[in-house]
Structure formats: structure tokens, C-alpha cells
Amino acid sequence: MGLKNNLHKLKEKYKGTKMAPAFNAIHTFLYLPNETTHNGTHIKAADDLKRTMNTVIMAMVPCLLFGMFNAGYQHNLAIGEIQAVTSGFFSTEFWTIDNFFIGFWKILPLVIVSYGVGLGIEFIFAIIKGHEVEEGYLVTGMLVPLIVPVDIPLWMLAVAVIFGVVIGKEVFGGTGMNILNPALTIRAFLFFAYPTWMSGDKVWVHGADPRVQNLADGATPDAISGETILGSLAQGKEVAYNAMDMFLGFIPGSVGETSTLLIILGGLFLIFSKIGSWRIMLSSVVGALVMGLIFNSVASSGLISESSKFYSLMSTEFWHHLLIGGFAFGTVFMATDPVTASQTNKGKWIYGFLIGFISILIRVFNPAYPEGVMLAILLMNVFAPTIDHYVVQGNVKKRMKRLKVKTA
Amino acid sequence: MGLLSKKDAALIKDPLADNNPITIQVLGICSALAITAELEAAIVMSVSVLFVLGIGNVVISLMRNIIPSKIRIIVQLIVVAALVIIVDQVLKAFAYELSKTLSVFVGLIITNCIIMGRFEAFALGNGAWRSFLDGIGNALGYGVILIIVAFFRELLGAGTLLGFKVLGDPIEKTGVYAFGYENNGFMIMPPMALIVVGIIIWVQRTRNKALIED
């Protein structure tokens, strides 16, 4: 344990100076602290905030790896190098080294920029303000590369991360005090600041965007299209993917959001490790299904004409909404963020339900913002404290009534 | 400053920094959000407010002893309205394009909280010269923030300053655009103005801790 002791010595050396939090953070990230408390009664548990965060990151690793394969697969498929998958999840066309490395070299820089910039800001703030480095960015840093298009320019990502961490989190007082989910703040910033890189039919497949080809002096053909399913539905086009493709994730989209199967696995991991709230996940799915059913019945009852621009999204089978776009990813990894979600159990049901409900609503009625789940979660983040307040007040009132009955 | 006594000079200096109408009193936010997407519009707006507030404060101050206090708000409104109409007509006559950009916000100077606030808080209780200085000071304090916000919003949002393409041409890819830089569309939207104002408030209060309220 040479590293541990060296870190400890450094920590002692810089104790009381401004640099102390930086060494302390590295030390406790890697090892148990050298000092433990001696007196008083303590609950002993292995899971501090850093371990909790690491569990979430572990749940996301399958999505990240799949995202790397998928980025390469979509690219090779688009330029006609390989055929579409035919034999289910373990298709040999998909799991090739070639696919993986194309994706790996595209996505690794995203991860590095996200962590480098984000943790850099956390360290700077900790040193300036003289508090311990906060763990909050560990999960955010992993979420960010998973929810952006694969070809997003790295400097844009860096700008967005600075904005998201400073404006979304630090101004509110740091980890645990933020109102909005920082990862979604970063994505929303990108979405509104650089819409041409975040939506449309060119950005979702590596190499499809002519601007990227220019930068790379591309030898790729210029007729690649890489529309997401939501994008084609919003324009009333036929969707070229079947439900199984959507479920397994062989579709274009943000890096880690495509494979519903792996997201469900990650979600189960979070539920069994008691880190993610199953109430939020379940109620959000229910909310989305309810809204989907309402739209389906409106479409099938003939209340809306087939020429309407909403028809094709409205008549999408209600359960398809769970498979396409970022809904599954948002529900499992973003809506359950313990800081920004509702805290009370009853509140979680309401919060989750409304996220699902509003996601599909935005998705269908505003084709300019096909990714409704991002906006729905941000909106409900704002309302979460209000929901909690009324749940608690309701409980207080109920108990007050009981009290009166007894004393009377 | 030999021209002004220390007390009078404070009337101009205070609103520029430690008693700024936007960042400390948080007045006049609506127009600060609405017309700061372009530097030119922000400058014209600042000058308009300077004119209205400077003259308005003097007029109200001169009339302060004959206005019945029950109808003073109406009198104040009439004074502002008259001055705003002058500004509006001048803009329409000499800078028509600009007056279209500013559109309704020139008329809305009437409801700018800073103006009514200074009338009520200062001009009604002070002499004409001091009221004039107070009006100028507050309008300058308002203008400074407006221009800072507009500077960043226009530079980062459109890549221009006063309409000049200081960062190069985004379509022909000259200047910084040749390196893949792109304009930040979020800067053009009103929410970003709020955030920029917030950052100015943050910086100001970090430099002067006495401004932090509990």
C-alpha cells in the first residue's frame, strides 16, 4: 500500500492549507480513511457517498460498453460496410472488434473531457471555498457522455460541463443542494445552445454529419442518414426498426440511451442495491403508458385526422414509447437522482408518474423537442420540493385530526 | 471633483456600484432581460432611460411642493409618459429600424420600476439639482449593467458587437469559426440574460462581502 501511505503523508503535509481538500479527496476516493472515530455510538456501514456513486456508475457500465459497440455498428452500417443484425442480441455483425474500436475512440474522449473538466471545477471550488471536494460529480461525469450524440465537439461538451457544474450546482451550494439534475442541465444547455449538434437527422450516427467529415477530411460518402426513431415519427415517416431492435438497442441515438435491455439490467441492479427508487421508476413507466394509451385512443377514435402532424406520434403503439428515445435511460438513471427527486414515498409516486406522463406529452405535441424526457425531468425537479411539502403537510393534518379525536 | 460636493458626488457614484438599481435593488429586471440580446439596443435603451429619469426627476422635484400626495402617482405617470413619448417619437424619426427592435420596450419605460422608484424615493423629497444627479446616477447604474450583459450576450450569442463581425463570419468560416467554433444560441434567449445578471451579482458580492444579505 505504498500509494496509500504516500497520499496519507501528503495529506498530513498539506493539512490546514488550501490544498488539503484536494489530497483528502483522492485519498478517500481510493482507500478507507486512516482515522476512524473512537467514541460514541455509530452505525457502521460500508457505503459512504463515494461508494453509492460508484454503484450507480457500475450500473451504467453495460450501457457505456454497448454504446461503444453501437456507435461503431451504426457507422459501419450507414456506410454500407456491414449488414444489419439478424440474429438477436448476440448477432456476430454487432459484437466485432472493429465496431468497438470505432466507438471506443469516439466515446473515450467524451468521458475524459466530462470527468476532466467537471472534477477540475469541483477541485477548484473546494480549494477556493475551503471545504472538502464533493462527490457529486462522479455520477454526473459518467452520465454526461451517455446522453450526448457521439459526434458532439469536445469543446462544446467542456463549455456545457462548466455551465452545468457552476450554474446548475455550485451556485446552489454544491452537491446535495442542487435543484436541477446537473447532467440534465448540461444536456439542456447543449440542446438550447447548439441545437444543430443536438437534434436533426445527421448527428446521431458517427460520420453522418458533413461538418464532422470536413474536420476529418472525410472519405465517407455524404449520403448517410442517421435519424432517430422519434425524429422520423415526428416527420410522419416510416420507421425502419422493429420493436426488438428498439428493445435491444440496435438503433441510432445518444451514446448510452439506446439499449432498453441493458438499462433495465442497470435499473434492477440499482433497485437490488437499494440505491435507485423503484417507486419512481415504476410510476414513471405507468405515467408514460397512461399518456400513451390516451393518445392511442384519441388516434383510433378518429378525433384527429390522419393528415395531422401529430397523428404519427399519437398512433405509435403506447408501449413503443418506453423503448424509443431516452425514456428508459432518463427514468432509471436521471429521475431517480436522490438529490433532485421527491424525498417522501408518496411524493415519489406523484413525481415519477408526472415525469412519465409529461415526457410523452412533450414528445408528441412538440416535434421540435422530441426528447421530452429531459424537459419533463427538469420540470419535475423544480416541483419536487413542492410535492414533498404537500405530502408532509397532508400527513401532519391527518395526524392532527387523530390527535383531536383522542383528546375530545 | 471640485464641481460636486462629496455628498452630491455620492449620488452619482453609489448607483454605479454598491447601490446599483439592477444588481442590488433588483429593479428594472424586465427590460434588462428583454433588450440585451444586442449591444446597440441596450445602449439606446440606457440613453433613453437616462433622458427620462434625468429630466423626470427634475420635473417632479420642482413640482414636489404643489402635488397633492393623494394623486402623486398619477402626476408621476403623466410626467414619465410625456417624456417617454418624446423619446419614442425621436427614435421613430431618426432611428426607425432600432425603434422597431426595441418595439414595445420603449413604451414600457413608463413601467420601469427604477423610474417610479426614484420619483417616489428621491425626487419627492429633494431639490432639483440633487434630484437631477440622482436620476443621472441611477440611469447610469442601470445602463452599465445593461451594456455589460448585452456585450456578453451579443458577443457569445451572435459573434458580433454593435453589428460588426468581430469573431469572423460563421457562414464563410473565417476567424474563430474556422476552428469549429459556433455561436451559442442559448445566449440569445432571455433565460441566459437572467443567468448573466446573476453572475454579475455573484461577482459583485464576492468582491464586496458587505453587500451579502442574510
Side-chain angles (χ1 to χ4, degrees):
Chain A
M1 285 300 192
L3 181 60
K4 179 175 180 178
N5 286 330
N6 282 342
L7 274 171
H8 187 70
K9 271 182 208 147
L10 277 175
K11 212 170 94 178
E12 291 297 322
K13 190 177 159 197
Y14 284 95
K15 204 170 206 172
T17 69
K18 288 207 149 194
M19 293 301 289
F23 291 108
N24 205 3
I26 301 172
H27 186 246
T28 53
F29 175 70
L30 295 170
Y31 303 108
L32 267 181
N34 283 24
E35 315 80 17
T36 47
T37 41
H38 300 294
N39 46 13
T41 316
H42 294 278
I43 297 173
K44 283 189 181 169
D47 50 338
D48 67 349
L49 199 48
K50 288 189 181 79
R51 307 294 169 260
T52 310
M53 300 273 178
N54 283 346
T55 315
V56 183
I57 292 177
M58 277 191 267
M60 284 186 286
V61 165
C63 295
L64 179 72
L65 291 176
F66 186 90
M68 290 177 176
F69 277 101
N70 194 36
Y73 166 74
Q74 294 296 341
H75 174 72
N76 278 334
L77 189 65
I79 61 173
E81 289 272 313
I82 52 170
Q83 299 298 308
V85 289
T86 45
S87 47
F89 190 65
F90 295 104
S91 299
T92 47
E93 296 94 334
F94 186 80
W95 301 99
T96 60
I97 296 289
D98 185 35
N99 284 349
F100 177 76
F101 274 108
I102 291 179
F104 181 75
W105 290 120
K106 282 307 294 178
I107 292 164
L108 188 67
L110 298 180
V111 178
I112 292 173
V113 168
S114 163
Y115 271 114
V117 176
L119 288 177
I121 294 174
E122 292 272 4
F123 274 74
I124 290 170
F125 265 85
I127 290 168
I128 293 176
K129 290 161 98 183
H131 59 61
E132 294 299 309
V133 175
E134 286 158 345
E135 296 89 341
Y137 198 74
L138 287 179
V139 169
T140 309
M142 189 51 113
L143 280 169
V144 168
L146 294 180
I147 53 175
V148 293
V150 63
D151 270 341
I152 190 94
L154 294 176
W155 70 267
M156 284 183 189
L157 192 68
V159 170
V161 167
I162 293 172
F163 177 88
V165 175
V166 175
I167 303 294
K169 203 167 74 174
E170 290 300 340
V171 296
F172 293 107
T175 301
M177 312 292 278
N178 46 313
I179 298 171
L180 300 172
N181 185 320
L184 280 177
T185 313
I186 290 167
R187 193 182 198 277
F189 177 86
L190 283 172
F191 185 80
F192 287 108
Y194 309 108
T196 54
W197 287 96
M198 290 296 286
S199 52
D201 57 356
K202 289 292 185 192
V203 300
W204 305 104
V205 173
H206 166 51
D209 194 304
R211 290 168 297 188
V212 175
Q213 291 166 21
N214 283 342
L215 293 177
D217 290 318
T220 35
D222 49 14
I224 301 179
S225 140
E227 198 148 26
T228 59
I229 294 170
L230 279 170
S232 356
L233 279 173
Q235 293 172 18
K237 288 194 215 152
E238 276 295 308
V239 173
Y241 305 93
N242 61 36
M244 204 52 177
D245 287 344
M246 300 177 199
F247 179 67
L248 298 177
F250 303 127
I251 51 176
S254 296
V255 171
E257 69 172 20
T258 57
S259 176
T260 314
L261 174 71
L262 292 178
I263 292 167
I264 291 174
L265 281 182
L268 289 176
F269 182 63
L270 287 185
I271 291 171
F272 282 113
S273 56
K274 298 198 174 164
I275 288 187
S277 159
W278 61 272
R279 290 183 179 85
I280 294 177
M281 297 187 204
L282 181 64
S283 57
S284 163
V285 168
V286 171
L289 289 177
V290 167
M291 195 72 231
L293 275 173
I294 293 175
F295 279 135
N296 274 184
S297 55
V298 169
S300 61
S301 64
L303 283 171
I304 179 167
S305 77
E306 282 197 33
S307 55
S308 158
K309 61 177 177 176
F310 301 126
Y311 184 80
S312 113
L313 266 168
M314 267 194 176
S315 57
T316 307
E317 280 189 67
F318 64 94
W319 53 274
H320 277 195
H321 277 298
L322 301 184
L323 306 179
I324 57 182
F327 179 80
F329 194 86
T331 303
V332 168
F333 293 116
M334 312 281 221
T336 54
D337 170 13
V339 175
T340 53
S342 280
Q343 307 293 321
T344 53
N345 280 346
K346 206 194 270 179
K348 282 177 183 163
W349 287 108
I350 303 169
Y351 168 86
F353 182 85
L354 284 174
I355 284 180
F357 196 82
I358 297 171
S359 305
I360 309 302
L361 191 70
I362 298 176
R363 209 178 246 191
V364 172
F365 277 139
N366 198 338
Y369 299 153
E371 207 35 278
V373 66
M374 168 180 86
L375 300 168
I377 295 175
L378 285 174
L379 181 71
M380 291 317 293
N381 280 170
V382 175
F383 279 105
T386 316
I387 297 173
D388 278 340
H389 174 79
Y390 282 104
V391 169
V392 171
Q393 288 302 312
N395 207 16
V396 169
K397 237 179 236 166
K398 209 166 69 190
R399 293 195 169 196
M400 290 294 272
K401 239 182 235 165
R402 218 183 291 156
L403 194 72
K404 264 179 210 151
V405 172
K406 261 190 186 163
T407 49
Chain B
M1 279 181 121
L3 193 63
L4 300 168
S5 69
K6 212 173 177 190
K7 226 168 132 196
D8 285 352
L11 287 177
I12 293 212
K13 269 195 239 156
D14 276 359
L16 283 175
D18 291 349
N19 198 13
N20 189 284
I22 293 186
T23 61
I24 305 295
Q25 299 167 13
V26 199
L27 297 175
I29 289 291
C30 346
S31 53
L33 303 192
I35 47 89
T36 49
E38 289 168 11
L39 192 52
E40 194 181 10
I43 292 174
V44 172
M45 188 70 177
S46 310
V47 173
S48 309
V49 170
L50 187 72
F51 173 79
V52 173
L53 193 51
I55 298 193
N57 250 5
V58 173
V59 173
I60 294 291
S61 169
L62 290 175
M63 299 201 306
R64 69 184 188 278
N65 292 327
I66 50 168
I67 305 173
S69 77
K70 273 186 187 168
I71 59 158
R72 67 181 196 284
I73 301 283
I74 301 173
V75 175
Q76 288 166 12
L77 269 177
I78 290 169
V79 172
V80 194
L83 291 167
V84 166
I85 288 168
I86 295 173
V87 170
D88 199 25
Q89 294 300 319
V90 169
L91 279 181
K92 272 186 187 147
F94 295 105
Y96 184 64
E97 283 304 314
L98 205 60
S99 86
K100 275 205 322 206
T101 324
L102 289 171
S103 68
V104 67
F105 289 101
V106 174
L108 282 178
I109 294 177
I110 297 172
T111 59
N112 191 325
C113 334
I114 295 173
I115 290 174
M116 295 294 275
R118 288 337 286 174
F119 285 3
E120 276 284 304
F122 200 89
L124 278 178
N126 287 284
W129 173 240
R130 282 173 59 76
S131 297
F132 177 71
L133 292 179
D134 178 78
I136 299 291
N138 275 283
L140 285 177
Y142 169 81
V144 164
I145 301 296
L146 232 63
I147 289 168
I148 295 175
V149 175
F151 174 84
F152 286 111
R153 286 184 73 195
E154 188 176 341
L155 183 68
L156 300 176
T160 59
L161 280 178
L162 292 172
F164 295 109
K165 291 176 177 150
V166 288
L167 294 183
D169 195 308
I171 296 164
E172 287 168 15
K173 302 274 174 225
T174 59
V176 291
Y177 297 101
F179 301 103
Y181 175 80
E182 289 199 19
N183 287 328
N184 186 329
F186 199 21
M187 280 313 238
I188 302 293
M189 298 184 194
M192 206 59 197
L194 193 66
I195 292 171
V196 176
V197 172
I199 293 174
I200 294 175
I201 292 178
W202 183 12
V203 170
Q204 192 182 14
R205 288 180 197 210
T206 312
R207 292 173 52 141
N208 184 354
K209 304 264 186 216
L211 298 174
I212 301 173
E213 305 110 354
D214 293 318

